[in-house]
Amino acid sequence: MAVRASLNLTRTSFSHEAAINWFPGHMAKGLKQMRDQMRTIDLIIETRDARIPLSSINMEFERLVGSKDRLIVYNKADLAPIEIQRTVQEEMAKRQQRAIFTDTNKSVSQILDVAVDIARRDPVKYPQFSIMVVGMPNVGKSSLINALRRTGVNRGKAASTGAKPGVTRAVSSKIRVFDKPPVYLLDTPGVMMPHIPDTMTAIKVALTGGIKDNIADESVLADYLLFRLNRLDNINYCQTLGIERPTDDINELVDMLARKIGALRHGGEIDTDKTLQFFLKAFRQGRFGRVCLDDLDEGAVDDFFKSSLLEPPMSKNQGQKAKRAAQRLRSLERAKAKGLI
């Protein structure tokens, strides 16, 4: 707080009223495919984003998993503060969830160890061991599967990956990741909640790449990111971006950054879209250091789970509205792709 005060960074709250939801048809189809496959699955690996350890929890998976064995994998741990790991693991343990952290380039062997240990304890029950990998879009499920395959059987890429959400659109066929005992994985499409009741949660998910930028509004995402960096006293963004000073004003940031990176149109007009995209990309690449967007004090974690579990399911009318909204968004995306708007 002393750092913020000395730099005249006085913004203490952030608000955004418009709902942000993204639940296209392939997600609903994917959920159904997961349910259909569930009886053949021995272990669920639920992948979450270490930068948003609470916001990347999808309560749809609570209903999907039921009593199945589950391992929580917080991926992209190299982009989140190391000190949050113990707190998150302790909070998840209170809720009977075992959590580990990985960045897909290392530490994935501990995931295989869990599966292999279960399978070897009862080889009659598990002549082959099947794992389903689930998670929100862009949390790194496919990258995790490729890393497990590389570690377990020394083979190359088996699952498609990409920096944008929605690369995997259906449940995959089984992918072998260990030989003795035989362990197989199923990749699944990233699935959002049909309705995200908390706008701040949706913004955090979008900021880490889980919702398409054009749906969430890049200016809102960049403004929240700036607010959050300042609240964390993380003003290293100035040095990283090469701008003169920290600011609470996203418009001032855009002005300084656009001139620094040459995001100017003919006549010297600032290219706002290009500048915002540069700022967001720098965060997603980890150029501002390790950042956690969720508050993780005990009260905040308790409040998150209480609100998530007590949130009533959507009514039939709300569900129809959400479906129509998703259809409109898909129509808009197709029109944009065709250059009609």
Side-chain angles (χ1 to χ4, degrees):
M1 185 173 290
V3 173
R4 292 196 299 274
S6 66
L7 295 170
N8 198 32
L9 301 174
T10 57
R11 189 160 55 153
T12 59
S13 63
F14 185 94
S15 63
H16 181 68
E17 299 301 324
I20 302 171
N21 290 296
W22 183 49
F23 192 73
H26 78 270
M27 292 187 186
K29 182 179 178 181
L31 266 178
K32 183 181 183 303
Q33 290 175 329
M34 291 179 213
R35 292 191 190 99
D36 293 343
Q37 293 271 10
M38 196 56 60
R39 62 182 178 79
T40 69
I41 300 301
D42 302 306
L43 175 69
I44 300 291
I45 292 179
E46 183 184 339
T47 313
R48 300 173 184 169
D49 191 315
R51 295 168 295 178
I52 48 171
L54 300 180
S55 297
S56 57
I57 296 174
N58 187 340
M59 289 299 168
E60 287 292 316
F61 298 140
E62 301 301 313
R63 293 182 279 275
L64 177 72
V65 171
S67 60
K68 289 280 185 183
D69 286 337
R70 172 169 51 165
L71 177 65
I72 307 300
V73 175
Y74 279 102
N75 203 13
K76 307 187 182 183
D78 55 320
L79 300 177
I82 295 174
E83 58 268 21
I84 72 167
Q85 294 187 12
R86 182 173 179 179
T87 299
V88 171
Q89 288 171 326
E90 289 175 350
E91 290 296 335
M92 294 305 115
K94 292 177 186 177
R95 295 158 179 89
Q96 291 73 54
Q97 296 181 11
R98 178 181 177 183
I100 61 176
F101 285 76
T102 181
D103 64 6
T104 72
N105 291 318
K106 55 186 177 182
S107 305
V108 297
S109 60
Q110 60 183 322
I111 302 171
L112 278 177
D113 290 344
V114 172
V116 170
D117 182 59
I118 296 172
R120 283 178 174 165
R121 269 187 259 150
D122 195 341
V124 175
K125 182 180 179 180
Y126 303 114
Q128 67 176 38
F129 195 82
S130 296
I131 302 171
M132 180 180 285
V133 183
V134 303
M136 285 189 178
N138 213 34
V139 292
K141 298 182 306 301
S142 297
S143 296
L144 180 64
I145 286 174
N146 290 332
L148 290 169
R149 181 175 164 87
R150 193 165 55 245
T151 301
V153 294
N154 196 29
R155 293 182 185 174
K157 188 173 180 179
S160 298
T161 60
K164 294 183 179 181
V167 173
T168 304
R169 301 179 70 86
V171 175
S172 72
S173 57
K174 287 187 175 181
I175 301 166
R176 194 178 185 111
V177 294
F178 205 80
D179 288 327
K180 297 180 181 180
V183 178
Y184 293 87
L185 293 179
L186 285 176
D187 193 10
T188 64
V191 173
M192 294 298 304
M193 290 178 283
H195 171 66
I196 304 177
D198 179 58
T199 304
M200 288 300 104
T201 296
I203 287 174
K204 293 172 191 176
V205 171
L207 188 50
T208 51
I211 298 174
K212 292 183 178 180
D213 288 348
N214 63 314
I215 293 173
D217 188 338
E218 290 170 334
S219 63
V220 173
L221 300 184
D223 194 20
Y224 175 77
L225 174 59
L226 178 62
F227 165 76
R228 187 67 183 178
L229 290 173
N230 287 334
R231 293 295 292 172
L232 292 170
D233 286 337
N234 184 349
I235 59 170
N236 293 333
Y237 65 85
C238 297
Q239 182 177 356
T240 300
L241 299 175
I243 60 176
E244 305 92 83
R245 59 188 176 278
T247 177
D248 262 336
D249 186 339
I250 188 61
N251 294 315
E252 184 180 16
L253 177 81
V254 167
D255 184 75
M256 290 189 289
L257 181 56
R259 300 182 192 285
K260 180 65 180 179
I261 65 175
L264 303 172
R265 295 193 178 98
H266 184 69
E269 179 187 359
I270 288 174
D271 189 332
T272 300
D273 290 343
K274 184 176 180 180
T275 307
L276 292 173
Q277 290 162 7
F278 185 95
F279 183 46
L280 294 174
K281 185 177 181 180
F283 164 71
R284 290 166 179 163
Q285 291 177 333
R287 293 179 59 198
F288 302 145
R290 294 171 177 261
V291 177
C292 178
L293 300 177
D294 284 330
D295 293 321
L296 292 176
D297 61 85
E298 189 172 359
V301 176
D302 287 342
D303 287 346
F304 173 85
F305 277 97
K306 285 177 183 176
S307 64
S308 297
L309 294 174
L310 291 175
E311 183 67 30
M314 281 193 293
S315 66
K316 183 178 180 180
N317 185 48
Q318 287 174 318
Q320 289 173 339
K321 285 183 177 179
K323 184 177 180 179
R324 287 196 295 270
Q327 289 172 338
R328 287 195 295 271
L329 285 172
R330 289 197 295 273
S331 297
L332 181 61
E333 288 179 19
R334 286 195 294 268
K336 286 183 177 179
K338 293 178 180 178
L340 299 177
I341 56 174

